[in-house]
Amino acid sequence: ALIRFADYYRTAHTIAVYTLTPDPDKGVVRVKLEMSGVNPGRILLLAPETGLVEGTLPAAGDAVDDPLRPQAAPSLWWAMADEDGRLRFEYEVSVQRIDARHALLAGDRIFAVPLHSDDPDELYGDNADRRPAGAASRIHIRFDLPRLWDAYTPWGEAYPAIDVPGARFARLRASIIALGDYLPRRIYAAGAEIELVTRSADPAREDEIEALIEECLTAHAEFVGPSPHPYMLVIADHPFRGNQAAGRTSINVAYIDLSSDPRALHYPSTLRVVAHELFHLWNGGAIDLDPDELRWFAEGVTEYYALRALAVSGRLTLREFTDQLAVTLDRLDGNPWADSSLVALGHGYGLDPRAWTATYAKGALAAWALDLRLWRDGGLDAVMRPMVQSGLT
Protein backbone atom coordinates (compact mmCIF):
# COMPACT_ATOMS: atom_id res chain seq x y z
CA ALA A 1 0.00 0.00 0.00
CA LEU A 2 2.85 2.39 0.83
CA ILE A 3 4.53 1.66 -2.49
CA ARG A 4 1.30 2.30 -4.40
CA PHE A 5 0.69 5.53 -2.47
CA ALA A 6 4.24 6.72 -3.15
CA ASP A 7 3.81 5.98 -6.85
CA TYR A 8 0.48 7.83 -6.88
CA TYR A 9 1.99 10.82 -5.10
CA ARG A 10 4.87 10.91 -7.58
CA THR A 11 2.60 10.94 -10.59
CA ALA A 12 -0.02 13.26 -9.09
CA HIS A 13 2.36 15.97 -7.92
CA THR A 14 4.79 17.72 -10.22
CA ILE A 15 8.47 17.21 -9.39
CA ALA A 16 11.15 19.36 -11.03
CA VAL A 17 14.85 18.48 -10.88
CA TYR A 18 17.46 20.88 -12.22
CA THR A 19 21.10 19.94 -12.79
CA LEU A 20 23.52 22.89 -13.09
CA THR A 21 26.94 22.33 -14.68
CA PRO A 22 29.25 25.37 -15.04
CA ASP A 23 31.45 25.47 -18.12
CA PRO A 24 34.01 28.26 -17.50
CA ASP A 25 35.74 27.64 -20.84
CA LYS A 26 32.57 28.60 -22.71
CA GLY A 27 31.40 31.13 -20.11
CA VAL A 28 28.06 29.39 -19.63
CA VAL A 29 26.18 27.14 -17.27
CA ARG A 30 24.51 24.06 -18.73
CA VAL A 31 21.05 23.43 -17.29
CA LYS A 32 19.05 20.22 -17.50
CA LEU A 33 15.42 20.25 -16.33
CA GLU A 34 13.71 16.91 -15.69
CA MET A 35 10.04 16.96 -14.71
CA SER A 36 7.71 14.18 -13.69
CA GLY A 37 4.06 14.13 -12.70
CA VAL A 38 2.98 16.59 -15.40
CA ASN A 39 0.02 16.13 -17.71
CA PRO A 40 1.05 14.35 -20.93
CA GLY A 41 1.28 16.50 -24.01
CA ARG A 42 2.64 19.97 -24.67
CA ILE A 43 3.31 22.45 -21.89
CA LEU A 44 4.54 26.00 -22.11
CA LEU A 45 7.90 27.04 -20.63
CA LEU A 46 9.22 30.51 -19.96
CA ALA A 47 12.88 29.90 -20.71
CA PRO A 48 15.90 32.15 -20.16
CA GLU A 49 17.35 33.95 -23.14
CA THR A 50 19.91 31.59 -24.60
CA GLY A 51 21.71 30.75 -27.81
CA LEU A 52 21.19 27.01 -27.42
CA VAL A 53 17.88 25.51 -26.37
CA GLU A 54 17.20 21.83 -26.92
CA GLY A 55 14.15 19.78 -25.95
CA THR A 56 14.05 15.98 -25.92
CA LEU A 57 11.46 13.30 -25.29
CA PRO A 58 12.74 11.06 -22.49
CA ALA A 59 11.14 7.76 -23.44
CA ALA A 60 13.46 5.40 -25.30
CA GLY A 61 12.64 4.99 -28.94
CA ASP A 62 10.70 8.21 -29.26
CA ALA A 63 11.77 10.29 -32.22
CA VAL A 64 12.83 13.82 -31.45
CA ASP A 65 10.99 15.45 -34.31
CA ASP A 66 9.94 18.59 -32.47
CA PRO A 67 12.94 20.80 -31.68
CA LEU A 68 11.67 23.62 -29.56
CA ARG A 69 11.04 26.85 -31.41
CA PRO A 70 10.06 30.19 -29.86
CA GLN A 71 6.37 30.94 -29.98
CA ALA A 72 5.52 34.63 -30.44
CA ALA A 73 8.13 35.74 -27.88
CA PRO A 74 11.83 34.77 -27.68
CA SER A 75 11.53 33.25 -24.20
CA LEU A 76 8.33 31.22 -24.63
CA TRP A 77 8.85 27.60 -25.66
CA TRP A 78 6.64 24.58 -26.11
CA ALA A 79 7.93 21.30 -24.66
CA MET A 80 6.50 17.79 -24.91
CA ALA A 81 5.75 15.55 -21.92
CA ASP A 82 5.51 11.81 -22.67
CA GLU A 83 2.58 9.57 -21.79
CA ASP A 84 4.08 8.90 -18.35
CA GLY A 85 4.17 12.63 -17.57
CA ARG A 86 7.96 13.02 -17.93
CA LEU A 87 9.76 15.87 -19.63
CA ARG A 88 13.40 16.74 -20.27
CA PHE A 89 14.58 20.18 -21.29
CA GLU A 90 18.24 21.16 -21.76
CA TYR A 91 19.80 24.53 -22.48
CA GLU A 92 22.82 26.74 -21.83
CA VAL A 93 22.74 30.22 -20.33
CA SER A 94 25.26 32.99 -19.96
CA VAL A 95 25.47 34.00 -16.31
CA GLN A 96 26.16 37.26 -14.54
CA ARG A 97 29.76 36.34 -13.85
CA ILE A 98 31.79 33.21 -14.56
CA ASP A 99 35.48 32.41 -14.76
CA ALA A 100 37.75 29.44 -14.08
CA ARG A 101 37.09 29.66 -10.34
CA HIS A 102 33.54 30.89 -9.74
CA ALA A 103 30.14 31.73 -11.14
CA LEU A 104 27.42 34.02 -9.82
CA LEU A 105 23.90 33.07 -10.88
CA ALA A 106 20.75 35.17 -10.84
CA GLY A 107 17.77 32.83 -10.78
CA ASP A 108 15.62 34.53 -13.41
CA ARG A 109 18.41 34.00 -15.92
CA ILE A 110 18.91 30.33 -15.13
CA PHE A 111 15.67 28.44 -14.57
CA ALA A 112 13.00 27.56 -17.12
CA VAL A 113 9.55 27.83 -15.60
CA PRO A 114 6.40 25.97 -16.67
CA LEU A 115 3.48 28.35 -17.02
CA HIS A 116 -0.11 27.53 -16.14
CA SER A 117 -2.84 29.03 -18.30
CA ASP A 118 -6.10 27.79 -19.79
CA ASP A 119 -5.45 30.06 -22.75
CA PRO A 120 -1.77 30.08 -23.83
CA ASP A 121 -2.48 33.03 -26.13
CA GLU A 122 -2.76 35.18 -23.00
CA LEU A 123 0.93 34.55 -22.35
CA TYR A 124 2.15 36.14 -25.57
CA GLY A 125 3.40 39.68 -25.71
CA ASP A 126 5.65 42.05 -23.79
CA ASN A 127 4.28 41.14 -20.34
CA ALA A 128 4.82 37.40 -20.67
CA ASP A 129 7.51 37.35 -18.01
CA ARG A 130 5.02 38.72 -15.46
CA ARG A 131 2.58 35.84 -15.77
CA PRO A 132 2.15 33.58 -12.71
CA ALA A 133 4.63 30.72 -12.71
CA GLY A 134 3.57 27.13 -12.20
CA ALA A 135 4.32 25.34 -8.93
CA ALA A 136 5.63 21.89 -8.11
CA SER A 137 5.35 19.85 -4.93
CA ARG A 138 9.12 19.45 -5.00
CA ILE A 139 11.93 21.39 -6.68
CA HIS A 140 15.37 19.82 -6.46
CA ILE A 141 18.63 21.38 -7.69
CA ARG A 142 21.74 19.27 -8.30
CA PHE A 143 25.19 20.79 -8.78
CA ASP A 144 27.71 19.15 -11.10
CA LEU A 145 30.72 21.27 -10.13
CA PRO A 146 34.42 21.32 -11.00
CA ARG A 147 36.92 20.18 -8.40
CA LEU A 148 37.30 22.50 -5.38
CA TRP A 149 34.03 24.31 -6.15
CA ASP A 150 31.14 24.56 -3.70
CA ALA A 151 27.58 25.83 -3.98
CA TYR A 152 25.98 28.48 -1.76
CA THR A 153 22.23 29.01 -1.97
CA PRO A 154 19.59 31.01 -0.07
CA TRP A 155 18.26 27.73 1.35
CA GLY A 156 21.31 26.54 3.27
CA GLU A 157 23.85 23.78 2.72
CA ALA A 158 23.72 23.00 -0.99
CA TYR A 159 26.47 20.73 -2.28
CA PRO A 160 25.85 18.37 -4.01
CA ALA A 161 22.10 19.08 -4.06
CA ILE A 162 19.36 21.14 -2.41
CA ASP A 163 15.59 20.99 -2.11
CA VAL A 164 13.87 24.36 -2.41
CA PRO A 165 11.48 24.91 0.52
CA GLY A 166 7.92 25.67 -0.44
CA ALA A 167 8.46 24.28 -3.94
CA ARG A 168 7.57 27.55 -5.65
CA PHE A 169 9.04 28.31 -9.05
CA ALA A 170 8.64 32.01 -8.38
CA ARG A 171 10.96 31.71 -5.38
CA LEU A 172 13.44 29.70 -7.42
CA ARG A 173 13.51 32.30 -10.18
CA ALA A 174 14.17 35.10 -7.69
CA SER A 175 17.17 33.37 -6.15
CA ILE A 176 20.85 34.28 -6.29
CA ILE A 177 23.32 31.38 -6.15
CA ALA A 178 27.11 31.47 -5.78
CA LEU A 179 29.28 28.67 -7.15
CA GLY A 180 33.03 28.27 -6.89
CA ASP A 181 35.89 29.00 -4.52
CA TYR A 182 34.03 31.22 -2.05
CA LEU A 183 35.07 31.05 1.61
CA PRO A 184 32.13 30.82 4.01
CA ARG A 185 31.76 32.48 7.41
CA ARG A 186 28.88 32.09 9.87
CA ILE A 187 27.44 35.21 11.52
CA TYR A 188 24.57 35.46 13.99
CA ALA A 189 22.87 38.86 14.03
CA ALA A 190 19.36 40.35 13.98
CA GLY A 191 18.00 37.06 15.31
CA ALA A 192 19.10 35.11 12.23
CA GLU A 193 21.90 32.92 10.95
CA ILE A 194 23.83 34.60 8.15
CA GLU A 195 26.23 32.81 5.85
CA LEU A 196 28.78 35.28 4.49
CA VAL A 197 30.75 33.98 1.51
CA THR A 198 33.62 36.01 0.11
CA ARG A 199 36.43 35.64 -2.41
CA SER A 200 39.15 37.70 -0.73
CA ALA A 201 42.41 36.14 0.47
CA ASP A 202 42.95 38.79 3.18
CA PRO A 203 41.53 37.60 6.54
CA ALA A 204 41.83 41.08 8.06
CA ARG A 205 39.72 42.53 5.27
CA GLU A 206 37.14 39.78 5.69
CA ASP A 207 37.00 40.58 9.41
CA GLU A 208 36.25 44.21 8.52
CA ILE A 209 33.49 43.22 6.09
CA GLU A 210 31.99 40.86 8.65
CA ALA A 211 31.99 43.58 11.33
CA LEU A 212 30.30 46.08 8.99
CA ILE A 213 27.60 43.58 7.97
CA GLU A 214 26.95 42.58 11.58
CA GLU A 215 26.68 46.24 12.67
CA CYS A 216 24.23 47.09 9.87
CA LEU A 217 22.04 44.05 10.48
CA THR A 218 21.95 44.76 14.21
CA ALA A 219 20.98 48.40 13.60
CA HIS A 220 18.24 47.43 11.15
CA ALA A 221 16.81 44.95 13.68
CA GLU A 222 16.77 47.66 16.35
CA PHE A 223 14.81 49.93 14.00
CA VAL A 224 12.16 47.59 12.58
CA GLY A 225 12.44 44.27 14.41
CA PRO A 226 14.39 41.03 13.97
CA SER A 227 15.18 39.54 10.62
CA PRO A 228 12.09 38.20 8.81
CA HIS A 229 14.28 35.33 7.55
CA PRO A 230 15.75 32.65 9.87
CA TYR A 231 18.55 32.11 7.35
CA MET A 232 20.25 34.68 5.11
CA LEU A 233 23.04 34.53 2.57
CA VAL A 234 25.37 37.46 1.85
CA ILE A 235 27.80 37.15 -1.07
CA ALA A 236 30.72 39.60 -1.24
CA ASP A 237 33.11 40.02 -4.16
CA HIS A 238 35.73 42.61 -5.11
CA PRO A 239 35.62 43.35 -8.85
CA PHE A 240 35.99 47.16 -8.60
CA ARG A 241 38.72 49.70 -7.93
CA GLY A 242 38.55 53.06 -6.21
CA ASN A 243 35.28 53.82 -4.43
CA GLN A 244 32.90 51.89 -6.69
CA ALA A 245 30.34 49.54 -5.13
CA ALA A 246 27.11 47.89 -6.24
CA GLY A 247 24.68 45.30 -4.98
CA ARG A 248 21.45 43.38 -5.41
CA THR A 249 19.06 41.72 -2.98
CA SER A 250 16.33 39.14 -3.49
CA ILE A 251 14.17 37.75 -0.67
CA ASN A 252 16.79 36.44 1.81
CA VAL A 253 20.01 36.78 -0.17
CA ALA A 254 22.17 39.82 -0.99
CA TYR A 255 25.31 40.10 -3.05
CA ILE A 256 27.60 43.08 -2.78
CA ASP A 257 30.33 44.04 -5.23
CA LEU A 258 33.08 46.00 -3.51
CA SER A 259 36.37 47.57 -4.47
CA SER A 260 39.69 45.76 -4.00
CA ASP A 261 41.06 49.04 -2.57
CA PRO A 262 41.88 48.36 1.13
CA ARG A 263 40.45 51.79 2.01
CA ALA A 264 37.11 51.14 0.28
CA LEU A 265 35.22 50.31 3.47
CA HIS A 266 35.97 53.82 4.74
CA TYR A 267 34.28 55.52 1.78
CA PRO A 268 30.72 56.72 2.60
CA SER A 269 29.53 55.60 -0.85
CA THR A 270 30.69 52.02 -0.21
CA LEU A 271 29.21 51.99 3.28
CA ARG A 272 25.86 53.21 1.90
CA VAL A 273 25.68 50.40 -0.66
CA VAL A 274 26.34 47.72 1.96
CA ALA A 275 23.84 49.12 4.47
CA HIS A 276 21.28 49.70 1.68
CA GLU A 277 21.36 46.15 0.32
CA LEU A 278 21.13 44.66 3.81
CA PHE A 279 18.01 46.68 4.64
CA HIS A 280 16.40 45.31 1.49
CA LEU A 281 16.27 41.99 3.37
CA TRP A 282 13.49 43.69 5.35
CA ASN A 283 12.12 46.27 2.90
CA GLY A 284 11.49 44.20 -0.21
CA GLY A 285 12.77 40.85 1.00
CA ALA A 286 9.86 40.63 3.46
CA ILE A 287 7.44 43.13 1.90
CA ASP A 288 6.13 42.96 -1.66
CA LEU A 289 7.12 46.31 -3.19
CA ASP A 290 7.13 45.31 -6.86
CA PRO A 291 4.42 47.71 -8.14
CA ASP A 292 5.87 50.79 -9.85
CA GLU A 293 4.01 53.18 -7.57
CA LEU A 294 5.88 51.70 -4.58
CA ARG A 295 9.34 51.99 -6.11
CA TRP A 296 10.11 55.16 -4.13
CA PHE A 297 9.30 53.26 -0.93
CA ALA A 298 11.42 50.26 -1.92
CA GLU A 299 14.51 52.32 -2.72
CA GLY A 300 14.06 55.64 -0.91
CA VAL A 301 13.09 54.25 2.49
CA THR A 302 15.88 51.69 2.17
CA GLU A 303 18.37 54.48 1.42
CA TYR A 304 17.23 56.44 4.48
CA TYR A 305 17.52 53.44 6.79
CA ALA A 306 20.97 52.71 5.40
CA LEU A 307 22.15 56.16 6.50
CA ARG A 308 20.52 55.73 9.91
CA ALA A 309 22.23 52.36 10.41
CA LEU A 310 25.63 53.83 9.58
CA ALA A 311 25.04 56.69 12.02
CA VAL A 312 23.86 54.41 14.85
CA SER A 313 26.82 52.07 14.36
CA GLY A 314 29.28 54.97 14.45
CA ARG A 315 30.35 54.60 10.83
CA LEU A 316 29.06 58.13 10.17
CA THR A 317 29.23 61.08 12.53
CA LEU A 318 26.16 63.28 12.94
CA ARG A 319 27.81 65.85 10.65
CA GLU A 320 28.53 63.19 8.02
CA PHE A 321 24.97 61.89 8.30
CA THR A 322 23.52 65.34 7.60
CA ASP A 323 26.06 65.86 4.81
CA GLN A 324 24.83 62.66 3.16
CA LEU A 325 21.24 63.92 3.33
CA ALA A 326 22.41 67.17 1.75
CA VAL A 327 24.14 65.21 -1.02
CA THR A 328 20.85 63.38 -1.61
CA LEU A 329 19.12 66.73 -2.07
CA ASP A 330 21.90 67.97 -4.39
CA ARG A 331 21.29 65.02 -6.72
CA LEU A 332 17.96 66.56 -7.66
CA ASP A 333 19.54 69.81 -8.84
CA GLY A 334 18.89 70.16 -12.57
CA ASN A 335 17.12 66.80 -12.75
CA PRO A 336 13.98 67.11 -14.93
CA TRP A 337 12.25 64.54 -12.70
CA ALA A 338 12.79 66.60 -9.56
CA ASP A 339 9.21 67.95 -9.54
CA SER A 340 7.56 64.68 -10.59
CA SER A 341 5.30 62.78 -8.22
CA LEU A 342 6.64 59.70 -6.47
CA VAL A 343 4.24 57.54 -8.48
CA ALA A 344 5.46 59.05 -11.77
CA LEU A 345 9.05 58.36 -10.73
CA GLY A 346 8.21 54.69 -10.29
CA HIS A 347 6.81 54.49 -13.82
CA GLY A 348 9.94 56.15 -15.23
CA TYR A 349 12.38 54.23 -13.04
CA GLY A 350 13.41 51.67 -15.64
CA LEU A 351 13.16 54.01 -18.63
CA ASP A 352 15.31 57.02 -17.77
CA PRO A 353 18.51 57.03 -15.66
CA ARG A 354 17.54 60.47 -14.34
CA ALA A 355 14.24 59.07 -13.07
CA TRP A 356 16.23 56.26 -11.43
CA THR A 357 18.43 58.82 -9.63
CA ALA A 358 15.44 60.95 -8.62
CA THR A 359 13.60 57.91 -7.23
CA TYR A 360 16.39 57.22 -4.75
CA ALA A 361 16.87 60.88 -3.86
CA LYS A 362 13.23 61.94 -3.50
CA GLY A 363 12.34 58.65 -1.85
CA ALA A 364 15.03 59.09 0.80
CA LEU A 365 13.97 62.67 1.48
CA ALA A 366 10.31 61.59 1.68
CA ALA A 367 11.29 58.90 4.20
CA TRP A 368 13.13 61.51 6.27
CA ALA A 369 10.10 63.83 6.14
CA LEU A 370 7.78 60.99 7.20
CA ASP A 371 10.07 60.09 10.08
CA LEU A 372 9.95 63.68 11.33
CA ARG A 373 6.20 64.02 10.81
CA LEU A 374 5.46 60.81 12.71
CA TRP A 375 7.96 61.21 15.55
CA ARG A 376 5.26 61.57 18.23
CA ASP A 377 3.91 58.13 17.26
CA GLY A 378 7.22 56.31 17.01
CA GLY A 379 8.40 57.69 13.69
CA LEU A 380 8.77 55.68 10.51
CA ASP A 381 9.86 52.66 12.58
CA ALA A 382 6.30 52.33 13.88
CA VAL A 383 5.08 52.06 10.28
CA MET A 384 7.75 49.61 9.18
CA ARG A 385 7.52 47.13 12.05
CA PRO A 386 3.97 45.85 11.39
CA MET A 387 4.65 45.82 7.65
CA VAL A 388 7.67 43.57 8.14
CA GLN A 389 5.75 41.34 10.56
CA SER A 390 2.85 40.90 8.14
CA GLY A 391 5.30 40.05 5.35
CA LEU A 392 4.23 39.60 1.76
CA THR A 393 0.58 39.82 2.75
Side-chain angles (χ1 to χ4, degrees):
L2 288 173
I3 293 173
R4 292 187 65 179
F5 176 78
D7 188 58
Y8 167 79
Y9 186 87
R10 181 190 66 78
T11 57
H13 296 80
T14 306
I15 298 173
V17 180
Y18 292 88
T19 302
L20 307 185
T21 306
D23 188 344
D25 293 336
K26 295 179 65 175
V28 300
V29 169
R30 295 194 301 275
V31 185
K32 179 170 68 174
L33 168 60
E34 301 169 280
M35 297 189 68
S36 59
V38 299
N39 292 329
R42 287 172 174 257
I43 67 171
L44 198 64
L45 295 172
L46 180 63
E49 298 293 342
T50 172
L52 173 62
V53 179
E54 179 183 344
T56 59
L57 297 173
D62 283 343
V64 182
D65 58 359
D66 186 23
L68 299 177
R69 288 183 284 273
Q71 301 287 319
S75 57
L76 287 176
W77 299 79
W78 289 108
M80 181 71 70
D82 67 10
E83 60 184 11
D84 293 323
R86 295 192 302 265
L87 165 74
R88 286 172 51 198
F89 187 67
E90 298 182 3
Y91 51 96
E92 293 181 350
V93 292
S94 300
V95 298
Q96 178 119 3
R97 190 176 302 136
I98 185 170
D99 58 28
R101 299 176 63 192
H102 87 299
L104 184 62
L105 317 180
D108 58 0
R109 299 184 62 191
I110 296 297
F111 300 101
V113 176
L115 295 170
H116 289 182
S117 175
D118 294 331
D119 181 7
D121 291 336
E122 295 177 355
L123 300 170
Y124 297 159
D126 295 337
N127 293 324
D129 58 341
R130 297 185 181 181
R131 296 295 178 178
S137 61
R138 179 170 172 239
I139 300 175
H140 188 71
I141 306 174
R142 293 192 293 238
F143 299 94
D144 181 12
L145 301 177
R147 184 174 172 271
L148 302 180
W149 284 41
D150 278 311
Y152 301 94
T153 77
W155 312 291
E157 192 70 31
Y159 189 75
I162 186 84
D163 283 305
V164 181
R168 289 295 303 174
F169 278 105
R171 184 177 181 85
L172 185 66
R173 285 174 57 78
S175 66
I176 300 171
I177 299 174
L179 306 177
D181 62 344
Y182 288 88
L183 301 175
R185 290 185 173 210
R186 248 346 120 72
I187 305 173
Y188 295 90
E193 175 184 341
I194 301 100
E195 186 162 23
L196 168 65
V197 295
T198 66
R199 301 193 67 237
S200 173
D202 183 357
R205 179 174 172 78
E206 302 312 295
D207 289 343
E208 192 172 4
I209 294 174
E210 179 180 331
L212 172 60
I213 290 173
E214 189 170 0
E215 290 170 8
C216 291
L217 291 173
T218 300
H220 293 328
E222 290 176 359
F223 296 145
V224 298
S227 166
H229 315 287
Y231 174 88
M232 295 186 288
L233 172 65
V234 180
I235 306 164
D237 211 338
H238 308 86
F240 296 133
R241 295 183 179 180
N243 62 351
Q244 287 182 290
R248 180 176 172 182
T249 301
S250 178
I251 306 178
N252 65 328
V253 55
Y255 81 75
I256 304 165
D257 281 338
L258 303 172
S259 170
S260 58
D261 185 342
R263 301 168 297 174
L265 292 178
H266 299 282
Y267 297 141
S269 57
T270 299
L271 296 174
R272 285 180 71 160
V273 167
V274 174
H276 179 104
E277 293 305 327
L278 294 179
F279 192 70
H280 268 315
L281 295 167
W282 281 262
N283 197 39
I287 307 170
D288 181 5
L289 299 174
D290 287 340
D292 289 341
E293 57 268 25
L294 297 179
R295 178 63 62 182
W296 73 272
F297 198 93
E299 300 301 346
V301 170
T302 298
E303 188 77 351
Y304 176 63
Y305 272 94
L307 290 176
R308 286 185 60 195
L310 295 174
V312 167
S313 63
R315 297 278 177 168
L316 294 179
T317 65
L318 180 59
R319 174 61 183 269
E320 290 170 333
F321 173 76
T322 55
D323 283 347
Q324 289 297 313
L325 284 175
V327 168
T328 299
L329 182 61
D330 290 342
R331 288 177 180 155
L332 294 172
D333 188 26
N335 190 317
W337 291 86
D339 293 327
S340 298
S341 71
L342 294 172
V343 172
L345 286 177
H347 293 309
Y349 180 85
L351 304 175
D352 186 340
R354 295 169 297 181
W356 182 88
T357 300
T359 300
Y360 279 77
K362 290 193 71 171
L365 294 171
W368 179 35
L370 281 172
D371 203 15
L372 295 174
R373 172 68 72 87
L374 300 171
W375 73 270
R376 293 183 184 274
D377 300 305
L380 192 54
D381 293 354
V383 177
M384 291 296 301
R385 281 178 176 268
M387 289 177 65
V388 171
Q389 291 169 3
S390 65
L392 293 176
T393 59

